[in-house]
Amino acid sequence: LEIQKMREAEEDALYKLVFSRSFRNFVCAYGRKGNAVADVLPDSMNARHLDLEEVERFAQMIRHKVLNNGGVGALDLAATFARSFSFLKSAGHDQSGVLDSFIESKEFAECIDLEPFGSGLCYEESLFNHLSHRYRSAFATEDSWMILNHEFLRAVMRQVTVAKNPFFHIRHPLVRKAGDGYMALQLITNSAWAEVNNSRVEEVEVGQRTILYFGGPRSVVGPISDEAAELLRCGETLVHLTKSRRLHVLKQMFADAAEVERFSALGVL
Amino acid sequence: MSNLSELLVSLPKSVGFGVGLDMPWGMAPGFIRTAEGDTIDPSLRAFFHRYQDDFQHVFFAFQPKDRSFLDIEYYKNAYSAFFAACERIPNRSLHHTMLNVAGGTQYDRDELIEFTNAIIDLFSIKWINEDIGIWSLFGKALPYPLPPILSSTSLDSAVAVVDMLKTKLNAPFILEFPGFTDGSAVIFGDMHAFDYFRELAEQTDSLVNLDTGHIISYQFLTGRPDKLMVDIERLPLDRCFEIHLAGSELVQGRFRDMHHGELLPQQFDLLSEFLKRCKTLRAVTYEDPKFDANGALLHNTVESYNVLRGIMTRFGNSKNA
């Protein structure tokens, strides 16, 4: 038991040194005051010879990987949240500072990377949660807040489509399980929708529309009619019914039976 | 018969020259997706067409395709294409990257082992190899594996993981000495890395893989760039089954494990020493050759390849004489 505790202390210290800039700074400052760094790190890690610059270089590699790795699973948070990062920048938060705060956050502690075991959130959901909580004021306008939501939902649906059986949990209230995939509806202003689609904002009509996000056997992201959105919302309240019963009820409620069949075939209902 | 002798029974009987490849998804020379399904990059197919008769064994390094659960059906076509392209190479191994021997014991690896065993069984893999390092920390993959914490508690933990792997894997697990490349590795702990590695091999009664670049990187990082042979008797030379040689270079007095195909003279020096001293050696592997779209080795790597192949040919001839 004693050995196990020591091992866990080593792992914990290593995790903090690699992932937490504030902890590295603390260790550094602690050592500079003439204290034995071994007091804050396990003796067995040989903290006397710890090269914090080396650790810092390694930590920077990790930050770079988290932000820019476009490899496995197309994890590329900089591109996924491009517009959101630009809002953050205009509010005075540079990308590297935001990422540092993310890596040290409890949201980052909840996410899990490439290993297909255990449970955790995906990076996209973890970063979205962090931005929503820590940097809410940077998304000051209704449009910027919607765009943050949009970038998150689009990223999650893309991941769900890539990974038929994602090993991470999607537990955000905006997203629900739908058939073989996941679904979300979002009300978005026309100007915000135009911005994420690189349209000229001044040319779009004032108002808002509903966007359907569906990731599963087929991935769908785009505007839908108010009636179709209502149909999906009704379907959401009927998930306790068997599929055939649900479709029967919805066909009774909506005049356009073909629309019910279309969403059913897609897997959303 | 000791466990070591038992292990060697299922492995090649003589020392062979082989090739190992990192196989990223979606970029040359790795696995690619086509309308007909997953396969290998055409340049790799061309490389095997030219050179496969030079080799007695081949491995690829595992990389996950995406963030799905591991499922052999999802990988089978790509791996079949890989081994079909080098079908005349008699022995196959797998370089794993997720066993994470030094990354702690506190999680369940059963799904990973089930997936690995499916690869072993489906493709007649003769041995599994992985650097003894920290490939992930609490579920977060690192960009480059960290060496283990060089302490007795970390060693005990690694022993437990290797013992478990030996029990559950359907092929022998070969321990590879980890890399200590300057700038992408940090050292923690009081133990000498060679002692840590030897202890791990002895306590688990395992065969080992000595990567020449990794050993040189440790000598450099511990301030002995001119004394590469110092302390090598502390390595488990009597358990060495495989030697790896991957392209490396010295940049401003620092060692870099580049995997770019160009070998350093120091790597050949170490190889010569190991060839003399390692009685259980069966495999010498050139890692990550660099070739063009037609599969021809790049001009700046041809010399390294020819020197290495020449050493192995002479070594084979001397054994047969």
Side-chain angles (χ1 to χ4, degrees), chain A residues 177-202:
Chain A
K177 189 91 176 81
D180 296 330
Y182 291 83
M183 188 197 82
L185 290 170
Q186 186 187 202
L187 265 180
I188 192 167
T189 58
N190 285 341
S191 54
W193 180 245
E195 189 168 348
V196 296
N197 286 295
N198 295 319
S199 305
R200 289 170 64 91
V201 174
E202 61 270 24

Side-chain angles (χ1 to χ4, degrees), chain B:
Chain B
M1 193 162 61
S2 75
N3 179 50
L4 226 49
S5 308
E6 281 176 32
L7 277 177
L8 285 167
V9 166
S10 65
L11 294 166
K13 302 288 182 284
S14 58
V15 182
F17 177 45
V19 64
L21 294 128
D22 191 25
M23 291 290 289
W25 287 86
M27 65 178 82
F31 295 115
I32 56 170
R33 290 177 171 177
T34 68
E36 289 75 41
D38 295 339
T39 185
I40 59 170
D41 187 77
S43 65
L44 177 59
R45 199 181 303 279
F47 170 78
F48 280 138
H49 184 70
R50 284 171 184 261
Y51 297 99
Q52 66 171 309
D53 293 326
D54 290 355
F55 305 122
Q56 284 79 54
H57 61 272
V58 62
F59 78 69
F60 67 81
F62 174 75
Q63 289 211 16
K65 186 169 166 180
D66 56 33
R67 292 155 74 173
S68 299
F69 278 99
L70 294 176
D71 179 350
I72 188 62
E73 292 299 323
Y74 199 39
Y75 287 81
K76 195 166 69 177
N77 290 347
Y79 293 175
S80 296
F82 179 91
F83 288 120
C86 57
E87 62 182 356
R88 294 200 301 278
I89 302 179
N91 298 303
R92 301 164 173 181
S93 67
L94 172 70
H95 191 313
H96 223 307
T97 57
M98 292 178 81
L99 296 174
N100 198 24
V101 166
T105 54
Q106 300 305 304
Y107 64 88
D108 182 359
R109 291 172 172 83
D110 281 354
E111 285 180 51
L112 182 63
I113 289 167
E114 187 182 333
F115 173 75
T116 306
N117 281 338
I119 298 174
I120 292 169
D121 296 342
L122 200 57
F123 298 104
S124 305
I125 301 293
K126 292 205 170 152
W127 69 92
I128 302 288
N129 167 72
E130 185 174 289
D131 314 27
I132 301 304
I134 304 169
W135 291 80
S136 63
L137 262 176
F138 295 92
K140 294 175 179 61
L142 303 177
Y144 188 87
L146 276 174
I149 296 172
L150 298 170
S151 71
S152 58
T153 49
S154 158
L155 176 61
D156 288 341
S157 171
V159 167
V161 177
V162 174
D163 281 342
M164 179 274 292
L165 291 173
K166 285 179 63 181
T167 308
K168 294 187 173 179
L169 285 175
N170 291 350
F173 177 57
I174 311 292
L175 321 179
E176 179 172 339
F177 185 79
F180 290 81
T181 287
D182 205 346
S184 57
V186 284
I187 299 182
F188 299 99
D190 287 314
M191 287 182 79
H192 191 293
F194 293 175
D195 292 340
Y196 180 102
F197 189 63
R198 188 191 64 254
E199 283 284 333
L200 180 60
E202 287 178 353
Q203 289 189 38
T204 58
D205 201 8
S206 298
L207 291 165
V208 303
N209 175 331
L210 300 176
D211 183 304
T212 52
H214 292 175
I215 291 165
I216 296 169
S217 71
Y218 185 68
Q219 302 289 47
F220 265 74
L221 209 55
T222 51
R224 295 175 295 187
D226 302 322
K227 297 175 181 171
L228 296 182
M229 300 301 167
V230 169
D231 290 334
I232 63 164
E233 69 283 353
R234 293 163 81 164
L235 288 164
L237 301 179
D238 56 339
R239 295 173 176 275
C240 177
F241 167 80
E242 184 172 8
I243 295 169
H244 277 182
L245 297 103
S248 308
E249 69 184 66
L250 302 177
V251 182
Q252 296 175 333
R254 293 176 148 198
F255 179 86
R256 296 271 192 256
D257 192 10
M258 304 294 283
H259 286 238
H260 59 16
E262 293 180 65
L263 302 172
L264 290 169
Q266 292 93 325
Q267 291 178 270
F268 291 119
D269 293 344
L270 265 184
L271 173 64
S272 299
E273 192 67 21
F274 291 152
L275 286 173
K276 278 188 272 183
R277 297 173 67 160
C278 301
K279 305 302 177 200
T280 54
L281 183 67
R282 295 290 185 274
V284 173
T285 311
Y286 183 45
E287 272 192 278
D288 294 324
K290 294 299 170 211
F291 42 84
D292 63 21
N294 297 316
L297 285 169
L298 297 186
H299 177 69
N300 54 341
T301 69
V302 169
E303 186 181 345
S304 291
Y305 182 76
N306 286 339
V307 171
L308 179 56
R309 196 168 157 231
I311 290 172
M312 294 313 298
T313 303
R314 286 192 297 279
F315 179 76
N317 291 341
S318 71
K319 282 282 189 187
N320 293 331

Side-chain angles (χ1 to χ4, degrees), chain A residues 87-126:
Chain A
F87 292 133
L88 287 162
K89 191 176 177 185
S90 58
H93 305 289
D94 71 277
Q95 196 164 278
S96 106
V98 172
L99 200 66
D100 279 340
S101 77
F102 172 52
I103 285 179
E104 295 190 44
S105 69
K106 64 178 173 52
E107 289 88 5
F108 181 75
E110 287 181 313
C111 68
I112 191 163
D113 204 349
L114 297 171
E115 300 179 47
F117 29 70
S119 61
L121 299 185
C122 60
Y123 275 108
E124 290 82 357
E125 184 168 350
S126 301

Side-chain angles (χ1 to χ4, degrees), chain A residues 56-100:
Chain A
E56 184 62 37
R57 275 202 295 273
F58 192 77
Q60 281 171 5
M61 283 173 64
I62 289 178
R63 278 207 302 282
H64 181 80
K65 175 183 184 289
V66 168
L67 191 64
N68 296 116
N69 183 351
V72 174
L75 170 67
D76 188 343
L77 293 176
T80 299
F81 289 94
R83 292 292 298 124
S84 297
F85 274 117
S86 115
F87 292 133
L88 287 162
K89 191 176 177 185
S90 58
H93 305 289
D94 71 277
Q95 196 164 278
S96 106
V98 172
L99 200 66
D100 279 340

Side-chain angles (χ1 to χ4, degrees), chain A residues 18-267:
Chain A
V18 167
F19 288 109
S20 167
R21 174 169 285 178
S22 59
F23 186 73
R24 281 194 301 279
N25 289 342
F26 167 71
V27 170
C28 210
Y30 194 81
R32 272 200 301 272
K33 285 179 186 169
N35 298 314
V37 176
D39 289 351
V40 287
L41 294 175
D43 279 339
S44 55
M45 290 183 79
N46 194 2
R48 290 184 304 281
H49 302 121
L50 184 63
D51 183 346
L52 280 165
E53 285 184 9
E54 192 75 31
V55 179
E56 184 62 37
R57 275 202 295 273
F58 192 77
Q60 281 171 5
M61 283 173 64
I62 289 178
R63 278 207 302 282
H64 181 80
K65 175 183 184 289
V66 168
L67 191 64
N68 296 116
N69 183 351
V72 174
L75 170 67
D76 188 343
L77 293 176
T80 299
F81 289 94
R83 292 292 298 124
S84 297
F85 274 117
S86 115
F87 292 133
L88 287 162
K89 191 176 177 185
S90 58
H93 305 289
D94 71 277
Q95 196 164 278
S96 106
V98 172
L99 200 66
D100 279 340
S101 77
F102 172 52
I103 285 179
E104 295 190 44
S105 69
K106 64 178 173 52
E107 289 88 5
F108 181 75
E110 287 181 313
C111 68
I112 191 163
D113 204 349
L114 297 171
E115 300 179 47
F117 29 70
S119 61
L121 299 185
C122 60
Y123 275 108
E124 290 82 357
E125 184 168 350
S126 301
L127 179 60
F128 171 75
N129 289 343
H130 182 64
L131 298 183
S132 306
H133 299 150
R134 173 93 181 253
Y135 295 97
R136 181 67 181 90
S137 59
F139 300 96
T141 66
E142 190 186 5
D143 276 8
S144 63
W145 179 248
M146 285 175 184
I147 289 170
L148 172 64
N149 276 269
H150 167 73
E151 288 186 324
F152 159 61
L153 290 171
R154 192 178 53 182
V156 166
M157 296 309 161
R158 190 170 63 227
Q159 287 309 332
V160 170
T161 305
V162 168
K164 284 185 286 189
N165 302 298
F167 56 79
F168 46 81
H169 296 311
I170 299 166
R171 60 188 190 206
H172 200 275
L174 286 174
V175 182
R176 75 167 174 84
K177 189 91 176 81
D180 296 330
Y182 291 83
M183 188 197 82
L185 290 170
Q186 186 187 202
L187 265 180
I188 192 167
T189 58
N190 285 341
S191 54
W193 180 245
E195 189 168 348
V196 296
N197 286 295
N198 295 319
S199 305
R200 289 170 64 91
V201 174
E202 61 270 24
E203 289 177 358
V204 300
E205 57 186 287
V206 177
Q208 56 188 19
R209 62 183 72 191
T210 307
I211 307 300
L212 163 66
Y213 301 82
F214 176 64
R218 292 170 62 191
S219 182
V220 178
V221 176
I224 58 171
S225 68
D226 290 344
E227 192 176 29
E230 188 58 25
L231 169 64
L232 294 173
R233 287 197 190 92
C234 287
E236 195 171 343
T237 64
L238 300 176
V239 287
H240 59 284
L241 300 179
T242 61
K243 185 172 181 184
S244 58
R245 179 78 182 137
R246 185 162 59 246
L247 296 183
H248 175 73
V249 171
L250 290 170
K251 280 177 186 171
Q252 298 286 313
M253 293 169 67
F254 289 89
D256 191 349
E259 190 74 338
V260 178
E261 288 297 340
R262 191 170 74 83
F263 282 124
S264 171
L266 200 60

